[in-house]
Amino acid sequence: MINKLIAKIQKMNAPIVVGLDPMMKFVPDHIRKAAFSEYGETLEGAAEAVWQYNKGIVDAIYDLVPAVKPQIAMYEQFGIPGLIAFKKTIDYCKEKDLVVIGDIKRGDIGSTSEAYAVGHLGQVYLGSGSYYGFDEDFATVNPYLGSDGVKPFLKVCAQEKKGIFVLVKTSNPSSGELQDRLVKDGDTQKPLYEIVGGMVDAWAREYMPGQGNYSYVGAVVGATYPEQGKILREVMPKSFILVPGYGAQGGKGADLVHFFDKDGLGAIVNSSRGIIAAYQQEQYARFGGECYADASRAAVLAMREDIGTALGRL
Amino acid sequence: MINKLIAKIQKMNAPIVVGLDPMMKFVPDHIRKAAFSEYGETLEGAAEAVWQYNKGIVDAIYDLVPAVKPQIAMYEQFGIPGLIAFKKTIDYCKEKDLVVIGDIKRGDIGSTSEAYAVGHLGQVYLGSGSYYGFDEDFATVNPYLGSDGVKPFLKVCAQEKKGIFVLVKTSNPSSGELQDRLVKDGDTQKPLYEIVGGMVDAWAREYMPGQGNYSYVGAVVGATYPEQGKILREVMPKSFILVPGYGAQGGKGADLVHFFDKDGLGAIVNSSRGIIAAYQQEQYARFGGECYADASRAAVLAMREDIGTALGRL
């Protein structure tokens, strides 16, 4: 799946992933009204609104970007109906041949992480049959519990030829409270994110697909921390970096250069609200709510240009 | 809710939480066969089996223990049908007046953690109405992203009078890979779990219910690490400690003493497979699969005695 992701990035010249993180305040009036009039102002109504909103965006951008990243929390907040919308979104994106990165940030003790890995990337075996639960292509994984919590995902990735992105240095303002802590490492000291980066690198080298330069095991490093990105790029040469925090969170194209390898690969940059709620920004207000998906398409094109310029490709 | 939990612990003389972490291999044949014959060997069949299995256990133990802790991963592995069984389990346990600790280990950047907090502990507001998604009483939270990822949970806890348990030192063998790392702290060094413990203590003091000694904000510290438990008990005097790892993971009653306060409170000990799959252990094999729930009840009584003895109460 990492090779498919890379091939799509190259074909589209777009190391871009669109974060499908629908908040109700982003959903245009006409979609919300239609959903609520059909299902009432209920969780089912909210889930229908979210699904229709996503579908419009996917239809408008699937030929421009290689991948989408639905953030499961935004669906989970609507309970079971929300999670049904999450699953519908995954299935629809896969129909459109988009690579789906499930932003689930799971991580637990061994047997429990195995259940998450099976549910999101793998299949459960029941009698003579087997079934995929959510069936994303990649998942994000939290490393706080150590290798016990990550290895079950690695095993499923190897079986299914899928991948993970391990949280190393997250994009949020408080990420440094633990991740930047200086940690004893032999006779020297390193920030915790470098320790985690080193663990990711070891897993990455162990889980390489048959061909290609990059591992099934990638990392999450926020666009908002370009200096750390530069260091981590060197610490994890076999890992693709998923870079959130571009756009609404403050990261800019020029900040991104160090996340990429010399081959121009090695990173994929996420933008969520900057694209999916583009019509609410002054720059794209001309589209209005009715044409929100066209605004998203325009925002993708602008992001592609920004990143292309930063990488010296344009 | 922390005060309700404490009142129930005192009334039942049982600082015990039963982990409802159903794996298919625990489900007795007669339940699995009935579910599969009704729904086929499908995700729906597996979810039905899990739900019926849980229901039998809950019916057998609800008068003995104050709380249950369903581990969402064990349901999530069966996709949407599994999550429907998770929700049914929560609702049923609440009908039985059990306190429900959702072992979800969520944690993300601010707006995303807010969605998790709303979905699991709070309510979403849609038009004139509001709806609970999953509606657990407590949730477990992962601190790797720092305070951004925890504060949205605190806000919802204050609104809903619910609580969280933050992962501090987890029970699994590899938990030390990050959590035990010695971290620079001013002129001295501390293990990372103590840093996190200090953060938990600060949040705990800020989020106290109107009465009672314990905060809405608790911590997870594994029974398998009694020495660390002793230290963390002192670092976090206002926090209840949720203690996993008893029984099947190797923790014993005698290991638990230091997790409790002098008042005999301050901790609640989880056992999952030791109770829910008791009938598969030699000690309880006489019950057989048909009477698995009676075996679970016997295991709860034995655990209550073990902990009571350790605490010098018996």
Side-chain angles (χ1 to χ4, degrees):
Chain A
M1 195 51 70
I2 184 68
N3 288 337
K4 177 177 176 181
L5 179 63
I6 292 168
K8 291 200 70 159
I9 289 171
Q10 289 178 312
K11 186 177 157 202
M12 294 173 167
N13 195 23
I16 292 174
V17 52
V18 173
L20 296 175
D21 308 355
M23 299 173 92
M24 282 307 284
K25 66 185 178 191
F26 300 161
V27 178
D29 283 345
H30 69 286
I31 291 180
R32 198 166 48 215
K33 279 182 189 160
F36 282 167
S37 81
E38 192 173 351
Y39 293 92
E41 284 177 341
T42 60
L43 296 177
E44 287 75 13
E48 172 68 11
V50 156
W51 153 241
Q52 293 295 343
Y53 170 63
N54 281 349
K55 187 171 175 300
I57 293 167
V58 171
D59 287 340
I61 56 117
Y62 76 91
D63 61 323
L64 294 180
V65 299
V68 292
K69 181 174 75 64
Q71 165 52 261
I72 196 170
M74 296 303 171
Y75 305 82
E76 213 165 308
Q77 70 180 320
F78 300 119
I80 301 291
L83 286 159
I84 292 172
F86 177 71
K87 177 62 177 147
K88 276 164 93 169
T89 299
I90 292 170
D91 291 346
Y92 189 69
C93 291
K94 291 177 76 161
E95 265 177 46
K96 294 286 184 186
D97 202 36
L98 287 158
V99 172
V100 177
I101 302 171
D103 198 352
I104 62 173
K105 295 189 178 65
R106 303 303 194 241
D108 208 298
I109 68 169
S111 55
T112 310
S113 263
E114 188 180 332
Y116 280 130
V118 159
H120 285 278
L121 300 177
Q123 38 195 321
V124 283
Y125 293 88
L126 298 168
S128 54
S130 67
Y131 300 88
Y132 287 93
F134 287 101
D135 201 17
E136 298 101 311
D137 298 314
F138 288 85
T140 55
V141 173
N142 185 308
Y144 187 66
L145 286 88
S147 53
D148 289 352
V150 177
K151 284 185 176 165
F153 282 95
L154 300 177
K155 194 177 132 201
V156 172
C157 285
Q159 284 161 358
E160 301 280 341
K161 301 193 189 309
K162 292 187 171 182
I164 56 171
F165 294 97
V166 179
L167 305 187
V168 175
K169 172 67 183 168
T170 56
S171 61
N172 56 313
S174 75
S175 73
E177 288 174 11
L178 299 185
Q179 299 161 26
D180 291 357
R181 290 271 177 176
L182 282 177
V183 162
K184 193 167 179 300
D185 187 53
D187 293 337
T188 175
Q189 285 188 330
K190 278 183 188 171
L192 188 66
Y193 62 76
E194 270 195 64
I195 303 286
V196 179
M199 291 163 69
V200 168
D201 185 53
W203 295 321
R205 289 172 193 272
E206 203 177 331
Y207 289 86
M208 295 291 293
Q211 49 188 356
N213 289 330
Y214 294 99
S215 168
Y216 294 135
V217 185
V220 174
V221 185
T224 40
Y225 298 105
E227 287 306 312
Q228 289 88 334
K230 189 174 180 179
I231 294 163
L232 287 164
R233 179 66 286 164
E234 289 178 15
V235 170
M236 310 176 296
K238 296 292 179 196
S239 292
F240 235 73
I241 300 180
L242 171 63
V243 187
Y246 175 87
Q249 285 185 53
K252 294 186 181 61
D255 295 334
L256 298 171
V257 178
H258 300 307
F259 292 84
F260 287 84
D261 281 325
K262 291 195 191 78
D263 59 6
L265 285 168
I268 184 161
V269 182
N270 180 77
S271 177
S272 298
R273 81 179 62 185
I275 290 174
I276 67 173
Y279 79 100
Q280 294 182 341
Q281 298 160 33
E282 206 182 322
Q283 195 181 350
Y284 301 106
R286 67 185 184 280
F287 288 98
E290 287 284 338
C291 297
Y292 75 103
D294 297 327
S296 295
R297 186 175 175 90
V300 167
L301 291 169
M303 180 176 173
R304 188 173 71 177
E305 190 171 322
D306 181 37
I307 293 178
T309 304
L311 292 179
R313 283 184 185 155
L314 296 178
Chain B
M1 196 50 72
I2 184 68
N3 289 337
K4 176 177 176 181
L5 178 63
I6 292 168
K8 291 201 71 159
I9 288 172
Q10 290 178 313
K11 185 176 159 204
M12 295 173 167
N13 195 24
I16 292 174
V17 53
V18 173
L20 297 175
D21 308 355
M23 297 173 92
M24 283 308 282
K25 65 186 179 191
F26 300 160
V27 179
D29 283 347
H30 69 287
I31 291 180
R32 197 165 49 216
K33 277 181 191 159
F36 283 168
S37 81
E38 192 175 351
Y39 293 92
E41 285 178 338
T42 59
L43 295 177
E44 287 75 13
E48 173 67 10
V50 156
W51 153 241
Q52 293 296 343
Y53 170 65
N54 281 350
K55 186 171 176 301
I57 293 166
V58 171
D59 287 340
I61 56 117
Y62 76 92
D63 61 325
L64 294 180
V65 298
V68 291
K69 180 173 76 63
Q71 165 53 259
I72 196 170
M74 296 303 171
Y75 305 82
E76 212 166 308
Q77 69 180 320
F78 301 120
I80 301 292
L83 287 159
I84 292 173
F86 177 72
K87 177 62 176 146
K88 276 164 93 168
T89 299
I90 292 169
D91 290 346
Y92 189 69
C93 292
K94 292 178 76 162
E95 266 177 46
K96 294 287 183 184
D97 202 36
L98 287 159
V99 172
V100 177
I101 302 171
D103 197 353
I104 61 172
K105 294 190 178 66
R106 303 301 195 245
D108 209 298
I109 68 170
S111 55
T112 310
S113 263
E114 189 181 334
Y116 280 131
V118 160
H120 286 278
L121 300 176
Q123 37 195 323
V124 282
Y125 294 87
L126 297 169
S128 54
S130 67
Y131 299 89
Y132 288 93
F134 287 101
D135 200 18
E136 297 102 310
D137 297 314
F138 287 86
T140 55
V141 173
N142 185 309
Y144 188 66
L145 286 86
S147 54
D148 289 352
V150 176
K151 284 184 175 164
F153 283 94
L154 301 176
K155 193 176 133 203
V156 171
C157 286
Q159 283 162 357
E160 302 279 340
K161 302 192 189 310
K162 292 188 172 183
I164 57 170
F165 294 97
V166 179
L167 305 186
V168 175
K169 171 66 183 168
T170 56
S171 62
N172 56 314
S174 75
S175 72
E177 288 175 11
L178 300 185
Q179 298 162 27
D180 290 358
R181 290 272 177 176
L182 282 178
V183 163
K184 193 168 180 300
D185 186 52
D187 291 337
T188 176
Q189 286 189 330
K190 277 183 187 170
L192 188 66
Y193 63 76
E194 271 195 63
I195 303 286
V196 179
M199 291 163 69
V200 168
D201 185 53
W203 295 322
R205 289 171 193 276
E206 202 177 329
Y207 289 87
M208 295 292 291
Q211 47 188 357
N213 290 328
Y214 295 99
S215 168
Y216 294 135
V217 185
V220 175
V221 185
T224 40
Y225 298 105
E227 287 305 312
Q228 290 88 335
K230 190 175 180 178
I231 295 162
L232 287 164
R233 179 64 287 163
E234 289 179 14
V235 171
M236 310 177 295
K238 296 293 178 195
S239 291
F240 235 73
I241 300 181
L242 171 63
V243 188
Y246 175 88
Q249 284 184 54
K252 293 184 184 61
D255 295 334
L256 299 171
V257 179
H258 300 307
F259 291 84
F260 287 84
D261 281 326
K262 290 194 191 77
D263 59 5
L265 286 169
I268 185 162
V269 182
N270 180 74
S271 177
S272 298
R273 78 178 65 183
I275 290 174
I276 66 172
Y279 79 100
Q280 294 183 341
Q281 299 160 32
E282 207 182 321
Q283 194 181 352
Y284 301 105
R286 66 184 185 281
F287 288 97
E290 287 285 338
C291 298
Y292 76 103
D294 297 326
S296 295
R297 185 175 177 89
V300 167
L301 291 169
M303 181 177 173
R304 188 173 70 176
E305 190 172 321
D306 181 38
I307 293 177
T309 305
L311 294 178
R313 284 184 185 156
L314 296 177

